[in-house]
Amino acid sequence: MTIQTLLSQPFAGQRPGTSGLRKKVTAFTQPLYLENFVQALFDELNASTADGQALTGQTLVLGGDGRFFNRTAVQIILKLAAANGFARVLLGQGGILSTPAVSAVIRRHQAFGGIVLSASHNPGGPDGDFGIKYNAGNGGPATETLTEAVYLRTQSLCQLRISDAPDLSLDLMGVQPLEQMQVEVIDSVADYAAVMRELFDFDMLRGMFAKGFSARVDAMNAVGGPYAKAILEGELGAPSGTVVNATPLEDFGGLHPDPNPVNAEDLIACMSAPGAPEFGAAMDGDADRNMVVGRNFVVTPSDSLALMTAYARLIPGYSAGLSGVARSMPTSCAADRVAKALGIDCFETPTGWKFFGNLLDAGRITLCGEESYGTGSNHVREKDGLWAVLFWLSLQGATGRSVEELVRDHWQTYGRNYYSRHDYEAIAVDVANALMSDLRSALPGLPGQRFGARSVVLADDFAYTDPVDASVSKKQGIRLIFDDGARVIFRLSGTGTEGATLRVYLERYEADPALQDVPVQQALAELVAVAEQVAGIHARTGMAAPTVAT
Ligand code: VG1
Ligand code: CO
């Protein structure tokens, strides 16, 4: 086996979005496409030290969600890593590691960084999507500064270094040499499970299941299955069958592994049928997202973050209290109210987990979350689906109350933030861009304008200055904020692979308990009309209603 230098040429469009580089499988399987991106990443990382040898002797963590092309991509990346100086790779068995597990392994083994192979909530299979994301030594997604620098390198890259060694076994536990590098195939679950044991009272959870507590956790044929099986059914004694769709499949069995009430309709149906389990949850492709469901009751992710903040002290890992919380800008302001009551900081960041990293590293926040079914804490640097499941199980165990009781009680105390996200998918890119740029132009005229009973008090394009490193991220979403605190937000998705997706986020606050039980879409109807009036979505896209409203 020898290390080869191959000539390559730049591929257009290798710019990472909200969470890594995501493209159709057909793009990733072009000869040298993946190689090009990974070499650009390694070159950029090497350039971060004066001697250009940052990677020499270092450890890389590698794994993915098991979707189509995962195993092939692992073989390619191992050969590139060996030719670019790494001394060791920790590889999840079978090439499998969930996103939060990659984060946990990086941190526990003090690795240099890690590569996650996943397109997360995007569908998989030969006609689906693939993705790649780099996580730094803190276990968290690369900063925007790094991903932009990698993108620039992809545009001028002309050669790559790769070993011509034969493929390795991805399944055999233990160490295999590859050039000077050692590839260590590790148990995909062990490090992650150890982190969970440090945070939650496993004895109490075992006791709950022993007394017959019933749950249904839908892994959506994605990577969360092995983790949920090992921890819930294996360690905590939940009855076998508690975890459904538990085997990761290359095409997720045709399911769309995005845990919302539309895609996880099976779970929703089961949770509203007679004899439903007490608790339901679903995770996404790479197991960093979660949806929490009670009997006939769906919890919005924004409320989930607010409740976690309110009850965190009941969980052993957070019994000392929270240093602060953060939410992405489009996430509802429910957590802000709890933070205020607790006297802790609440930060508002742009969409994407990479913006929480500095706050977590600096100890400024303990919990964070996004409206897109993501919650997490300082235990790793990713959102974490199964962690959220264990958190909600613990809340029920510690309070003896059901999901619905917990949430309704929360609304009584803090008020309810009615919330919904409307997605308009597969819009022509130029139509979506024109819509956003026209909205931007209209911003100066909006403050003071009345829409029914409300008037606009702030209209801007959200810009964020990181409180830790002072880096600035602009154009993170157009927000209209009204005099009663209601908000309408517009942004374009940065994770899609086909056309553009417009996301419209709608929120209004209701303090009166007598008015907290209106169906969500009805409660937000006036704001939907405002969004239409301001942005002309129907006229521009021909879509009279969103593709998905959650
Ligand atoms: C979406 C969500 C965002 C999330 C991102 C990655 O991004 O809105 O909150 O962080 O997906 O999640 P966008 O740019 O499409 O709105 V995952 O679980 O797909 O890595
Ligand atoms: Co995900």
Side-chain angles (χ1 to χ4, degrees):
M1 58 189 174
T2 54
I3 289 169
Q4 317 238 309
T5 300
L6 298 185
L7 294 181
S8 181
Q9 87 285 340
F11 290 86
Q14 290 194 322
R15 171 179 259 144
T18 312
S19 181
L21 180 69
R22 287 190 197 173
K23 299 283 174 196
K24 290 268 160 226
V25 165
T26 46
F28 265 104
T29 48
Q30 296 171 80
L32 301 187
Y33 186 91
L34 174 68
E35 289 87 333
N36 219 69
F37 183 79
V38 175
Q39 184 65 57
L41 167 68
F42 288 165
D43 285 349
E44 184 58 34
L45 293 173
N46 262 327
S48 66
T49 51
D51 63 0
Q53 308 270 307
L55 305 181
T56 304
Q58 298 287 357
T59 298
L60 179 75
V61 177
L62 179 61
D65 65 12
R67 68 178 62 219
F68 184 81
F69 194 56
N70 191 102
R71 292 179 74 95
T72 312
V74 164
Q75 299 285 3
I76 291 171
I77 294 167
L78 287 174
K79 290 169 199 172
L80 285 160
N84 280 274
F86 280 103
R88 189 163 75 125
V89 170
L90 297 175
L91 173 69
Q93 192 177 19
I96 294 280
L97 281 173
S98 74
T99 290
V102 169
S103 192
V105 176
I106 293 173
R107 293 168 70 78
R108 286 180 85 82
H109 296 269
Q110 286 158 9
F112 183 85
I115 289 179
V116 188
L117 300 171
S118 172
S120 187
H121 63 283
N122 299 20
D127 303 322
D129 292 347
F130 191 75
I132 176 166
K133 188 172 77 147
Y134 176 71
N135 281 26
N138 70 345
T143 59
E144 241 186 9
T145 317
L146 175 58
T147 57
E148 274 302 297
V150 172
Y151 167 64
L152 283 180
R153 276 190 191 265
T154 64
Q155 296 310 291
S156 60
L157 194 116
C158 52
Q159 62 180 40
L160 40 96
R161 286 180 302 287
I162 189 161
S163 164
D164 66 355
D167 282 359
L168 267 60
S169 162
L170 308 185
D171 305 302
L172 208 66
M173 297 283 279
V175 178
Q176 303 164 69
L178 177 55
E179 307 288 354
Q180 87 301 338
M181 190 175 86
Q182 306 290 314
V183 178
E184 188 174 342
V185 175
I186 59 169
D187 182 308
S188 306
V189 180
D191 283 303
Y192 177 82
V195 177
M196 294 303 110
R197 265 177 238 123
E198 288 165 8
L199 296 172
F200 298 104
D201 183 346
F202 271 34
D203 286 336
M204 180 194 74
L205 294 170
R206 257 189 292 271
M208 275 169 78
F209 286 117
K211 280 188 225 118
F213 185 87
S214 55
R216 180 182 175 96
V217 174
D218 193 333
M220 301 187 90
N221 300 318
V223 80
Y227 296 84
K229 275 237 161 222
I231 294 176
L232 298 174
E233 297 183 11
E235 277 196 60
L236 299 177
S240 138
T242 297
V243 185
V244 298
N245 297 319
T247 308
L249 302 176
E250 286 201 329
D251 64 350
F252 307 119
L255 287 185
H256 187 169
D258 186 355
N260 62 41
V262 178
N263 294 325
E265 55 178 347
D266 227 36
L267 176 70
I268 300 295
C270 175
M271 293 303 294
S272 45
E278 286 153 275
F279 174 74
M283 293 180 282
D284 73 333
D286 57 336
D288 58 353
R289 295 188 181 203
N290 74 92
M291 175 174 67
V292 169
V293 192
R295 273 193 181 134
N296 218 355
F297 190 89
V298 181
V299 183
T300 60
S302 299
D303 279 347
S304 178
L305 176 65
L307 268 99
M308 286 176 161
T309 305
Y311 285 106
R313 277 179 180 274
L314 298 181
I315 312 282
Y318 310 99
S319 58
L322 308 175
S323 61
V325 293
R327 60 165 174 84
S328 66
M329 183 273 284
T331 303
S332 98
C333 302
D336 304 39
R337 293 177 183 276
V338 182
K340 196 162 176 224
L342 293 174
I344 58 174
D345 281 335
C346 181
F347 297 88
E348 184 175 43
T349 58
T351 294
W353 215 259
K354 57 178 173 267
F355 293 103
F356 294 132
N358 280 345
L359 292 168
L360 289 163
D361 286 351
R364 305 274 295 266
I365 58 170
T366 311
L367 297 185
C368 44
E370 295 193 279
E371 52 67 38
S372 52
Y373 297 87
T375 35
S377 89
N378 58 356
H379 68 288
V380 287
R381 294 292 179 275
E382 289 281 2
K383 53 188 183 269
D384 189 343
L386 188 53
W387 168 87
V389 169
L390 293 167
F391 202 120
W392 272 90
L393 285 170
S394 304
L395 290 190
Q396 293 164 86
T399 61
R401 320 193 68 187
S402 72
V403 169
E404 178 167 0
E405 285 165 348
L406 284 164
V407 175
R408 288 197 183 277
D409 193 53
H410 187 89
W411 293 342
Q412 287 231 345
T413 310
Y414 293 97
R416 176 174 184 184
N417 291 68
Y418 281 109
Y419 187 86
S420 180
R421 185 177 99 185
H422 289 191
D423 290 338
Y424 297 81
E425 295 173 336
I427 305 176
V429 172
D430 53 343
V431 171
N433 286 337
L435 185 151
M436 290 301 283
S437 87
D438 289 350
L439 267 176
R440 263 183 205 109
S441 314
L443 286 175
L446 284 168
Q449 209 168 303
R450 290 200 76 77
F451 293 89
R454 295 188 173 85
S455 61
V456 178
V457 289
L458 187 145
D460 72 354
D461 196 348
F462 182 63
Y464 178 67
T465 304
D466 187 294
V468 180
D469 68 12
S471 59
V472 177
S473 304
K474 293 185 174 156
K475 295 193 167 182
Q476 296 297 320
I478 290 181
R479 20 173 222 178
L480 310 189
I481 304 184
F482 296 87
D483 46 1
D484 63 346
R487 301 193 306 162
V488 177
I489 293 153
F490 302 87
R491 62 178 281 282
L492 297 183
S493 158
T495 58
T497 59
E498 254 178 71
T501 293
L502 171 69
R503 305 207 194 282
V504 183
Y505 308 83
L506 308 143
E507 171 183 12
R508 90 171 166 81
Y509 178 68
E510 181 55 71
D512 182 354
L515 299 174
Q516 287 173 354
D517 211 12
V518 179
V520 176
Q521 298 306 328
Q522 191 181 318
L524 295 170
E526 282 176 18
L527 293 173
V528 174
V530 173
E532 180 56 43
Q533 193 181 332
V534 176
I537 303 168
H538 188 179
R540 288 167 182 269
T541 66
M543 297 163 92
T547 339
V548 187
T550 52

